[in-house]
Amino acid sequence: MGPTTGSAPRVSTGNSARNLRDFTRLWDVIYRGDPHAVRPFRKEVTEALGGSDPFVRRGDREVFVVTADDGSPLARAVAWYTPASDQHRGAPTGLFSHFESVNSDQPVDLLLDAVRRWLADRGAVHITGPMSPKSSEPVGVLVDGPGRPVYGMPYNPPYYPDLLAGAGLTAAQDLLQQTVRLSGDYPRLRSVAALARRRFPQLRVRGIDLANFEADVRHLVTFHNCTNRDTWGFMPMDFDEVWAVAKQFRPFYRPEYGLIAEVDGEIVGMAIAVPDANQVLHRMAGRLWPFGWWHLLTGMRGIRELRGLYIGVEPRFRLTGMDALVMSEWLDRAVSRHGITHVHLGWTPESNTRLHRQVEQEAGPENVTTKRFRVYRGEAGGGRR
């Protein structure tokens, strides 16, 4: 474990200007000089934690920052609680996200004790994280996998798993991000897709309709909430939260990056991806001026790697080859038309061995690399467990 800090740390809460300033300053303390870290826009972070956050209409949220006696930030987190967790997690469960810390046990113990007490006061029995109720936030901490993070995926110093375990949390789930280097024609996938196409001659597969972009985002939210209830970590998507992120991609999005499969007008499958924006954001270093805007304007449409956000099939169609058909169509459209070279599949639980084997079988193990992330779990209430 890391050393103690030699000062008298204290915890402050709330989203005052001062607290959010310390909250964002900590990123620079930890990642200064790191060649792979992607610096977030400070304004976006503070605005997301402000009073206009759609989440505060349906749950409680609090910002925690640990500072030394000289005012320097040492650790941070955001705690979340919503009664919806009772329904989807079996017992009242609070979440914590945005975790960052210097390499020291003392501030982490202080931070997580405060988070646990805050959640227990609201009725939470368990605590899980790092993750938030928002689908747009990273989940877990990086355990294994070098290099720059893909858009929306975690990145952190290698000591984070030890800090969280030392604070009394245990591993709840390991998540895998598989990156596929696109190569070949995938004959097995094509064969299964052809069978599904013959089985469903009335099937229509279309791209995202940019003229009705908001409507298709609503379709995505509804489809996800109806079809993913049995997956690990499920929390219902909120349209306002998803729309806030989707609008940022609208100027750079191409219809072929997302596909919707319909049978007799009913949506039965989706494959949604976005450009790996971190390729551009990394160069911007969290600053739009004086040159960041140029990277954004010229760089986004040149990205040849996609981050898979969501691939899903309506449960009645899951053993029909519909998933293969959707993926085959997506390869034909997104990859062949836009020269996509890599697809970074969004995290899936390590326990989903069927999917991981399927990806390797289809793409060839030589074309698949994997990163590992970990989500932790503990009891709410005060004190190291």
Side-chain angles (χ1 to χ4, degrees), residues 27-28 30-40 100 147-149 153-157 278 280-286:
W27 192 95
D28 295 305
I30 294 171
Y31 296 102
R32 183 180 296 116
D34 189 319
H36 302 303
V38 179
R39 194 179 194 277
E100 303 283 1
R148 176 185 53 76
M153 300 300 288
Y155 179 79
N156 50 264
N278 276 3
V280 174
L281 299 178
H282 185 261
R283 299 198 296 271
M284 296 175 66

Side-chain angles (χ1 to χ4, degrees), residues 21-27 29-30 65-68 70-76 102:
R21 180 199 65 192
D22 291 338
F23 188 91
T24 56
R25 280 175 57 209
L26 182 59
W27 192 95
V29 171
I30 294 171
V65 181
V66 179
T67 54
D70 63 0
S72 58
L74 302 173
R76 75 181 204 190
V102 299

Side-chain angles (χ1 to χ4, degrees), residues 82-289:
T82 170
S85 68
D86 302 2
Q87 177 182 355
H88 300 289
R89 298 182 186 277
T93 300
L95 306 178
F96 72 96
S97 67
H98 295 76
F99 172 77
E100 303 283 1
S101 177
V102 299
N103 190 11
S104 175
D105 292 328
Q106 186 182 16
V108 175
D109 282 349
L110 193 61
L111 174 75
L112 291 181
D113 280 353
V115 169
R116 281 167 158 152
R117 287 193 297 270
W118 185 89
L119 290 170
D121 287 346
R122 281 149 185 80
V125 176
H126 303 298
I127 177 175
T128 299
M131 66 186 303
S132 91
K134 299 182 178 182
S135 58
S136 58
E137 299 287 354
V139 177
V141 295
L142 176 66
V143 175
D144 181 49
R148 176 185 53 76
V150 173
Y151 176 78
M153 300 300 288
Y155 179 79
N156 50 264
Y159 58 81
Y160 275 23
D162 287 340
L163 284 182
L164 291 172
L169 301 180
T170 58
Q173 181 72 256
D174 274 15
L175 310 171
L176 303 183
Q177 173 205 305
Q178 292 178 294
T179 292
V180 178
R181 179 173 64 88
L182 298 174
S183 173
D185 193 42
Y186 314 108
R188 182 174 178 274
L189 179 75
R190 302 294 192 183
S191 176
V192 175
L195 289 174
R197 174 64 77 177
R198 291 195 292 271
R199 183 176 297 165
F200 303 105
Q202 71 275 42
L203 179 73
R204 173 179 177 245
V205 180
R206 64 175 179 86
I208 295 296
D209 185 354
L210 296 182
N212 296 286
F213 191 57
E214 181 176 350
D216 272 353
V217 173
R218 289 189 183 276
H219 291 323
L220 166 63
V221 172
T222 300
F223 191 75
H224 170 274
N225 290 345
C226 291
T227 60
N228 273 34
R229 291 181 177 275
D230 296 331
T231 60
W232 185 90
F234 171 79
M235 286 289 284
M237 282 185 176
D238 178 85
F239 171 76
D240 289 341
E241 294 168 357
V242 176
W243 180 238
V245 177
K247 286 189 296 186
Q248 299 176 17
F249 279 95
R250 174 63 179 82
F252 317 105
Y253 207 73
R254 298 180 185 272
E256 296 82 13
Y257 291 167
L259 293 184
I260 297 177
E262 299 171 327
V263 173
D264 296 328
E266 177 188 2
I267 296 177
V268 298
M270 282 190 175
I272 308 295
V274 295
D276 177 20
N278 276 3
Q279 294 187 30
V280 174
L281 299 178
H282 185 261
R283 299 198 296 271
M284 296 175 66
R287 296 180 178 88
L288 194 59
W289 303 101

